[in-house]
Amino acid sequence: MIRTTLRSSLLAIALAVTVAACGSASSSQDSSTGTSRLAASGHRATSSTAVAAHRPTRSFDRLVEVDHGKLHLRCTGAGSVTVLMLAGWDKGAETWGPFEGAVSKRARSCAYDRFGTGTSDAPATNQTFATQVADLHAALAAAGERGPYLVVGHSFGGPEAVTFASKFEGEVTGVVLIDASPDDWPSVVCSVPAYQGGCDLMRNPEGDGERLDVFPAFDQVSKVSTLGDLPLAVITDAHRSPDGITSEVQARRDRLWAAGQERWAALSSASKVVTVEDTGHDIHIDQPQQVLAEVSRLLP
């Protein structure tokens, strides 16, 4: 019950974040010219077409053995690029809902359960984004699900997506971040007295099923300085509830969240920030067409 309460507290934190400042400052704002982005995505599309005939087309839904246990991987659809979907903290493949099916009509799509989520094995040790992407990459290879990949990450899955793109840059054609937690978010959470339950959970990986060592994980991804000209879409929401905190604390929190979205966008010279109205944290569920538009834009 204590773990459930702490986890619920942390989810409430994520769901409460308001990014009105980001909306006014950078709604649909490109950090590069359209020409450079099209050139980058066009180059990757051309190289990926050559291997399309050798890519998998059958549905795949099973546990895959990797060094540290078994991971549940599910892939459907067909295409020259695989859209790799990474869920938020303590969430697995099921969190994508109908969005997963919509993506599989446009491309090959893969979603998975990290260790400690869904039907995957419990983690053998504490995890970071780096260990998670290494295990995911091994599972994809074992299943014959080769790149190139368009990596889509939601919430904590956003930093995981950035880590994957940084570590396996030659296999990634683009990144889509959906309300991705900023690289300094654990410190922000711990600076708000009302969020101490979530802070405690972040500092205690053994108290969470996924065993994510949150502070080291975010510290590692904060050291990623650039993704070059990799096409990058940063999607965030425009309005959220105040979550029972004072207006002063809310304003500070929102400024820090907005600044974090801008830092994600600054990783690429071919980035775009998209602010979405009438949505909560799960933008891919509340406003799927907005996310699908960005996914489609980055597909060949």
Side-chain angles (χ1 to χ4, degrees):
M1 178 65 71
I2 293 175
R3 294 181 185 177
T4 301
T5 301
L6 291 176
R7 190 173 296 114
S8 298
S9 173
L10 187 61
L11 179 59
I13 295 167
L15 291 173
V17 179
T18 305
V19 201
C22 185
S24 60
S26 57
S27 177
S28 298
Q29 175 184 344
D30 289 351
S31 65
S32 68
T33 65
T35 302
S36 65
R37 183 185 305 104
L38 289 173
S41 60
H43 172 75
R44 291 178 174 85
T46 300
S47 61
S48 66
T49 303
V51 299
H54 305 288
R55 291 173 51 76
T57 57
R58 293 183 178 180
S59 295
F60 182 98
D61 189 355
R62 66 187 69 170
L63 292 170
V64 180
E65 186 82 39
V66 296
D67 284 346
H68 307 105
K70 294 179 180 178
L71 286 174
H72 173 224
L73 179 67
R74 180 172 67 230
C75 302
T76 58
S80 59
V81 171
T82 295
V83 179
L84 189 57
M85 294 176 283
L86 312 181
W89 195 14
D90 270 345
K91 300 294 183 181
E94 81 288 342
T95 195
W96 295 103
F99 180 81
E100 184 179 354
V103 171
S104 66
K105 293 178 181 179
R106 295 165 165 78
R108 184 71 171 173
S109 71
C110 289
Y112 87 116
D113 299 328
R114 288 185 294 267
F115 286 127
T117 69
T119 59
S120 291
D121 287 349
T125 185
N126 291 348
Q127 307 291 300
T128 65
F129 299 131
T131 65
Q132 288 173 338
V133 302
D135 289 329
L136 170 59
H137 191 265
L140 290 165
E145 295 290 343
R146 67 188 67 179
Y149 306 106
L150 171 59
V151 190
V152 179
H154 171 242
S155 192
F156 272 38
E160 185 187 359
V162 170
T163 303
F164 190 99
S166 176
K167 186 173 179 62
F168 305 109
E169 58 181 335
E171 302 174 47
V172 176
T173 64
V175 175
V176 177
L177 303 181
I178 308 172
D179 231 24
S181 303
D183 57 12
D184 63 348
W185 195 237
S187 297
V188 173
V189 170
C190 290
S191 71
V192 179
Y195 295 161
Q196 285 310 299
C199 178
D200 291 342
L201 182 58
M202 287 181 173
R203 294 190 184 280
N204 180 29
E206 287 78 10
D208 169 66
E210 196 171 322
R211 291 184 66 177
L212 180 67
D213 205 353
V214 173
F215 278 85
F218 274 83
D219 182 62
Q220 290 170 2
V221 77
S222 71
K223 292 179 170 59
V224 177
S225 59
T226 182
L227 295 176
D229 65 351
L230 185 71
L232 169 64
V234 178
I235 307 173
T236 190
D237 69 334
H239 306 288
R240 296 266 181 86
S241 67
D243 192 34
I245 58 179
T246 67
S247 58
E248 181 180 0
V249 173
Q250 179 185 349
R252 173 179 172 275
R253 178 202 60 187
D254 296 346
R255 286 195 302 270
L256 293 172
W257 183 272
Q261 304 309 301
E262 293 294 341
R263 285 197 302 277
W264 289 135
L267 288 177
S268 172
S269 62
S271 67
K272 177 183 180 182
V273 176
V274 179
T275 302
V276 181
E277 299 282 348
D278 302 321
T279 183
H281 186 50
D282 298 328
I283 304 175
H284 56 290
I285 301 298
D286 297 338
Q287 295 287 350
Q289 292 304 320
Q290 297 269 14
V291 182
L292 282 169
E294 292 307 308
V295 170
S296 297
R297 181 176 67 84
L298 299 187
L299 285 171

